[in-house]
Amino acid sequence: MPKFIHTSDWHIGRLFQNISLLEDQLHVLKQVKKYAAEHQVDALVIAGDIYDRSVPPAEAVDALNAFLAEFMSDLSTPVIMISGNHDSAKRLRFGAPFMSASGLHILGDIRNVSTPVVLETASGPVHFFGIPYHDPVEVREAFDVEVKTYDEAHTHLVSLAEQARSRGIPSVLISHCFIDGAEESDSERRLSVGGADRVSYQPMQAFDYVALGHLHSPQYKGAEQIRYSGSLLKYSFSEHQQSKGVTLVEITDQGATWEHLPLIPKRNMRVIEGTLDQLIEQGRQDPHADDYILARLTDKQDLLEPMAQLRQVYPNTLELERTQFSVSRGSQLVADVSNRRSEDQVFKDFFSQVMGDELTDAQSQLLLEVVEEARAAMEGQE
Amino acid sequence: MPKFIHTSDWHIGRLFQNISLLEDQLHVLKQVKKYAAEHQVDALVIAGDIYDRSVPPAEAVDALNAFLAEFMSDLSTPVIMISGNHDSAKRLRFGAPFMSASGLHILGDIRNVSTPVVLETASGPVHFFGIPYHDPVEVREAFDVEVKTYDEAHTHLVSLAEQARSRGIPSVLISHCFIDGAEESDSERRLSVGGADRVSYQPMQAFDYVALGHLHSPQYKGAEQIRYSGSLLKYSFSEHQQSKGVTLVEITDQGATWEHLPLIPKRNMRVIEGTLDQLIEQGRQDPHADDYILARLTDKQDLLEPMAQLRQVYPNTLELERTQFSVSRGSQLVADVSNRRSEDQVFKDFFSQVMGDELTDAQSQLLLEVVEEARAAMEGQE
């Protein structure tokens, strides 16, 4: 029966605390290739956020190019990808019309949602419909329809794909979106502030399988065949307990089945806790001492250059927390927009996630003024 | 006999005085397509500087993608391009391995200079060898050879291509380089300061035709079949008298023949001269009043907002010169590094060409100090 690997959120070229993760990414991509060969899959499906930025570093572009060239020349297995919110669809899709004949399908144009990639497998054809990441404005402009919300926009595209399905041919939908109620991680970039980015899963139920991207934790939502594969790697310390991997999907006569295939990172992302002395002692015998480390120090007294000391044994220690001094940053929900948090706090987090930088004092001051002005105006209306 | 169009230096996405030239570029690209259809060419060859910058605007990427898709789907004519010094080879060549089967050949890796694009024409095969723009360091690293100068590096690559030629099959070399003694224009970005970027034409003589890019004025150098097609458009007022176009090449049994096919711009780049009153009068009847205009005003008295007045009739007036006040900028050789010019002047021009900006006062001061220091050190050595 037709089989494929579903993966997403590669974020090739991502920096983690200013360290390039390219080597780590290529390390697990080798495992993806190995899984593809081992299970003789018919396709590799990547559900968006191929790169980490609209303009990725040239080295990242070149590394992905080399991986795809090797993957496809060694395995002769087609690759189907859509653009995510981190990608520039226009940049990613350059040359796409000339690549599909060779089996590289880059779906980066919402105007093509009705045109499936047709995969001929030993057990017959499978249709893959791709919905690249989009905002409501793009859908309004491309299709001249009145859609206002992310949900309406996404539902419009899903219905176009659904209408293009062929009776009796298994169909897979690929989308990069945030299903309402699904579980967030720290390392996703929010699509819009305040929950307006959520879409409903119901319109997607007609497909035999839905390969989703955007959320970094493997999960399903709404129905079991509507799945997030999760990201390629842990991209934040808050994900330290997630099991990253790819999803092996098989389309059977009774519907789709799936299996999580784990990816073993070159350097894991770990949170360790103890006194500085305990951690140094532990590090001396730790076979994975080059993992990326967030260390929670429980010492109560002042410490002399704890980071430098810890890096003697854990060279990739990236964050230190003093449990006695502050709420630990690793457990802080950066993306939390619940009512318990003030507007300016939410905006500050949003800013730092998008810009990778904190607000300056002047910006903070301006923000506060704007928030107060808005609040005053709203109170005036009531 | 095999025929192809040789063009170069498209600089898609270029800004001229902060105005996007994309519309102007697409206007003449339509003519390129028309010529290709009319002459039933076997290929379109673009000798580098496809884009104007290593990271072109997304709109430029998308526009080029759309042009190529239409060109190739309407004409079924292959396109062969190399990267130039304005392009990022790594970005441009993404996906290249998957495109060649569809007839889009992006040659952006010097490691492949020995592998020609083989074009099967009605009169037999033709081999196209591509030498993407490179500096000596890249050649040293890729081939582990001791080349120090641009000339040695280029000659090494040419000889690799030459050795890979097949007896009896016409071979075309495509390169993006600056042949010693050839004529510069204002709008090229210098490859290195002081003439170190020049390469010799002699090694390329073995090829049936050499399709060059980099210099913006159509010309040949060394031998008649070693030709620059020139840029797609005028990219500086100093080129106002150049005739831009593409080169139609035919490979016959007696060698290559060629013909210049002119491109008619949507808005020409022109230099006009006279008093403000004369030019306003002339503009009222000028059928091409929306051309890009550099106006040389010969008035001797003060003028009230001459730019605003002139734009009433010539809306795209971009530069004004007062012939009474200063040496006209249009005739100034920005790239002139002759002995008559001081080092700091040469550097200032280089800086403004590369950065598109003038040195600040502080930078100028620093430059002067450095130049003086270097001169003092050199005098000390003598």
Side-chain angles (χ1 to χ4, degrees):
Chain A
M1 304 308 291
K3 273 192 287 195
F4 62 91
I5 284 176
H6 163 204
T7 170
S8 79
D9 297 86
W10 285 12
H11 293 276
I12 301 296
R14 190 175 183 110
L15 300 179
F16 183 64
Q17 314 232 21
N18 279 326
I19 294 174
S20 165
L21 295 177
L22 194 53
E23 203 184 321
D24 302 83
Q25 291 169 324
L26 294 175
H27 181 83
V28 290
L29 283 181
K30 274 189 197 150
Q31 297 167 40
V32 174
K33 187 185 164 203
K34 206 158 155 252
Y35 280 137
E38 202 173 299
H39 294 280
Q40 299 183 35
V41 299
D42 298 293
L44 175 65
V45 172
I46 318 168
D49 284 0
I50 311 301
Y51 295 121
D52 193 53
R53 302 185 244 161
S54 60
V55 179
E59 283 58 42
V61 174
D62 216 33
L64 178 63
N65 191 44
F67 170 76
L68 292 172
E70 194 185 298
F71 181 92
M72 292 175 61
S73 98
D74 289 358
L75 307 185
S76 301
T77 301
V79 174
I80 307 171
M81 63 173 80
I82 63 171
S83 46
N85 58 308
H86 279 248
D87 302 305
S88 160
K90 287 178 181 171
R91 293 182 194 284
L92 189 67
R93 75 189 183 208
F94 178 82
F98 314 109
M99 297 189 207
S100 50
S102 299
L104 179 56
H105 305 274
I106 298 181
L107 310 177
D109 194 335
I110 52 172
R111 291 166 296 187
N112 299 334
V113 282
S114 307
T115 311
V117 173
V118 178
L119 221 69
E120 298 294 345
T121 78
S123 337
V126 183
H127 286 184
F128 291 85
F129 293 87
I131 301 186
Y133 174 72
H134 55 274
D135 64 25
V137 175
E138 292 168 291
V139 176
R140 272 208 295 279
E141 285 174 0
F143 296 98
D144 196 19
V145 285
E146 263 312 309
V147 292
K148 288 199 186 94
T149 64
Y150 277 80
D151 189 28
E152 286 170 4
H154 188 255
T155 297
H156 183 76
L157 298 183
V158 172
S159 74
L160 288 177
E162 203 198 322
Q163 286 158 30
R165 285 171 67 215
S166 299
R167 203 180 263 269
I169 298 180
S171 58
V172 174
L173 183 72
I174 314 166
S175 183
H176 192 89
C177 60
F178 190 160
I179 295 189
D180 199 21
E183 182 202 336
E184 291 174 271
S185 303
D186 265 18
S187 59
E188 297 136 12
R189 185 196 296 164
R190 315 221 57 222
L191 304 175
S192 83
V193 178
D197 50 356
R198 312 305 158 85
V199 306
S200 41
Y201 70 89
Q202 287 85 350
M204 301 190 275
Q205 284 179 299
F207 290 87
D208 295 278
Y209 182 83
V210 181
L212 296 174
H214 182 57
L215 298 181
H216 288 187
S217 175
Q219 62 193 294
Y220 68 90
K221 192 70 203 172
E224 281 197 49
Q225 80 279 11
I226 301 177
R227 302 188 79 85
Y228 287 96
S229 63
S231 58
L232 197 64
L233 288 174
K234 298 174 186 174
Y235 287 128
S236 130
F237 279 120
S238 73
E239 298 169 28
H240 71 105
Q241 288 175 316
Q242 292 181 9
S243 163
K244 301 295 185 179
V246 298
T247 308
L248 176 68
V249 183
E250 187 166 3
I251 308 278
T252 73
D253 293 337
Q254 286 75 46
T257 66
W258 45 83
E259 184 185 344
H260 178 82
L261 305 176
L263 295 172
I264 311 303
K266 183 180 171 72
R267 287 166 286 219
N268 202 354
M269 218 169 263
R270 285 198 286 152
V271 178
I272 58 178
E273 184 163 335
T275 65
L276 182 58
D277 286 347
Q278 286 167 347
L279 295 185
I280 288 173
E281 188 56 33
Q282 168 191 323
R284 291 212 174 95
Q285 293 145 39
D286 193 329
H288 299 291
D290 62 346
D291 281 353
Y292 297 116
I293 299 292
L294 181 160
R296 291 190 177 137
L297 298 180
T298 55
D299 303 84
K300 294 196 172 132
Q301 75 286 22
D302 276 350
L303 294 169
L304 185 67
E305 299 192 349
M307 182 65 103
Q309 287 197 57
L310 206 52
R311 282 187 175 165
Q312 299 269 342
V313 290
Y314 286 113
N316 294 316
T317 304
L318 299 180
E319 282 191 39
L320 279 194
E321 287 177 4
R322 301 296 301 271
T323 54
Q324 301 302 311
F325 291 158
S326 62
V327 175
S328 69
R329 189 171 173 281
S331 64
Q332 177 192 354
L333 279 177
V334 174
D336 187 358
V337 286
S338 64
N339 290 330
R340 284 167 292 124
R341 313 185 77 226
S342 64
E343 291 90 337
D344 62 299
Q345 198 53 51
V346 169
F347 181 83
K348 278 175 186 169
D349 292 342
F350 173 72
F351 182 87
S352 70
Q353 281 187 296
V354 172
M355 304 298 291
D357 211 347
E358 302 300 323
L359 287 178
T360 63
D361 289 349
Q363 289 171 323
S364 286
Q365 187 52 40
L366 184 65
L367 172 63
L368 277 175
E369 286 168 23
V370 169
V371 169
E372 272 161 30
E373 203 174 301
R375 194 176 286 139
M378 282 169 70
E379 282 168 359
Q381 287 177 346
E382 280 164 9
Chain B
M1 304 308 290
K3 273 192 286 194
F4 62 91
I5 284 176
H6 163 204
T7 169
S8 79
D9 297 86
W10 286 12
H11 293 277
I12 302 295
R14 190 174 183 111
L15 301 178
F16 183 64
Q17 313 235 24
N18 279 325
I19 294 175
S20 165
L21 295 177
L22 195 52
E23 205 184 318
D24 302 83
Q25 292 170 325
L26 294 175
H27 181 83
V28 289
L29 283 181
K30 272 188 199 152
Q31 298 167 40
V32 174
K33 188 184 164 204
K34 207 158 154 252
Y35 280 136
E38 202 172 301
H39 294 279
Q40 300 186 35
V41 299
D42 298 293
L44 174 67
V45 172
I46 319 168
D49 285 0
I50 311 302
Y51 295 120
D52 193 54
R53 302 186 243 160
S54 60
V55 179
E59 282 58 42
V61 174
D62 216 33
L64 178 63
N65 191 44
F67 169 76
L68 292 171
E70 195 186 296
F71 182 92
M72 292 175 62
S73 97
D74 288 358
L75 307 186
S76 300
T77 301
V79 175
I80 307 171
M81 63 173 82
I82 63 171
S83 46
N85 58 307
H86 278 248
D87 302 305
S88 159
K90 286 178 182 169
R91 294 183 194 283
L92 188 66
R93 76 190 183 209
F94 177 82
F98 314 109
M99 297 189 207
S100 49
S102 299
L104 180 57
H105 306 274
I106 298 182
L107 310 177
D109 193 336
I110 53 172
R111 291 168 295 189
N112 300 333
V113 282
S114 308
T115 311
V117 173
V118 179
L119 220 70
E120 298 295 345
T121 77
S123 341
V126 183
H127 286 184
F128 290 86
F129 293 88
I131 301 187
Y133 174 73
H134 55 274
D135 64 26
V137 175
E138 292 168 290
V139 177
R140 273 208 294 279
E141 285 174 0
F143 295 97
D144 196 19
V145 286
E146 263 312 309
V147 292
K148 289 197 186 95
T149 64
Y150 278 80
D151 189 29
E152 286 170 4
H154 188 254
T155 298
H156 183 75
L157 299 183
V158 173
S159 73
L160 289 176
E162 202 198 322
Q163 287 158 30
R165 285 172 66 215
S166 298
R167 201 183 266 268
I169 298 180
S171 58
V172 174
L173 184 71
I174 313 165
S175 183
H176 192 90
C177 60
F178 190 160
I179 295 188
D180 199 19
E183 183 204 334
E184 292 173 89
S185 303
D186 265 17
S187 59
E188 296 134 13
R189 185 197 294 163
R190 314 219 60 219
L191 304 173
S192 84
V193 178
D197 50 355
R198 313 304 159 86
V199 305
S200 40
Y201 70 89
Q202 287 85 351
M204 301 191 275
Q205 284 179 298
F207 291 86
D208 295 278
Y209 183 83
V210 181
L212 296 173
H214 182 57
L215 298 181
H216 287 188
S217 174
Q219 62 192 295
Y220 69 90
K221 193 69 203 172
E224 280 197 47
Q225 80 279 12
I226 302 177
R227 303 188 78 83
Y228 288 96
S229 63
S231 57
L232 197 63
L233 288 175
K234 297 175 186 175
Y235 287 128
S236 128
F237 280 119
S238 73
E239 297 168 31
H240 72 105
Q241 288 176 315
Q242 292 180 10
S243 162
K244 301 296 186 178
V246 298
T247 308
L248 175 68
V249 183
E250 185 165 5
I251 308 276
T252 73
D253 293 338
Q254 285 75 45
T257 65
W258 44 83
E259 185 185 343
H260 178 82
L261 305 176
L263 296 172
I264 311 302
K266 183 180 171 71
R267 286 166 286 218
N268 202 355
M269 218 168 261
R270 285 198 285 150
V271 177
I272 58 178
E273 186 164 332
T275 64
L276 183 58
D277 286 346
Q278 285 167 347
L279 295 184
I280 288 173
E281 188 55 33
Q282 166 189 326
R284 291 214 174 96
Q285 293 145 41
D286 193 330
H288 300 289
D290 62 345
D291 281 352
Y292 298 116
I293 299 291
L294 181 161
R296 291 189 178 138
L297 299 179
T298 55
D299 303 84
K300 293 193 174 140
Q301 75 285 24
D302 275 350
L303 295 169
L304 185 67
E305 298 192 351
M307 182 66 104
Q309 287 198 56
L310 206 52
R311 281 187 176 165
Q312 300 269 344
V313 289
Y314 286 113
N316 294 316
T317 303
L318 300 180
E319 281 191 39
L320 278 195
E321 287 176 4
R322 303 294 302 270
T323 54
Q324 302 302 313
F325 291 161
S326 63
V327 175
S328 69
R329 192 173 169 279
S331 64
Q332 177 192 355
L333 278 178
V334 174
D336 186 358
V337 287
S338 65
N339 290 330
R340 285 167 292 126
R341 312 184 77 223
S342 64
E343 291 88 340
D344 62 299
Q345 198 54 49
V346 170
F347 181 83
K348 278 176 186 168
D349 292 343
F350 173 73
F351 182 87
S352 70
Q353 281 188 296
V354 172
M355 304 299 290
D357 212 348
E358 302 299 323
L359 287 177
T360 63
D361 288 349
Q363 287 170 325
S364 285
Q365 187 53 40
L366 184 65
L367 171 63
L368 277 176
E369 286 167 23
V370 170
V371 169
E372 273 162 27
E373 204 174 299
R375 193 176 286 140
M378 282 168 69
E379 283 167 359
Q381 285 176 349
E382 281 163 10

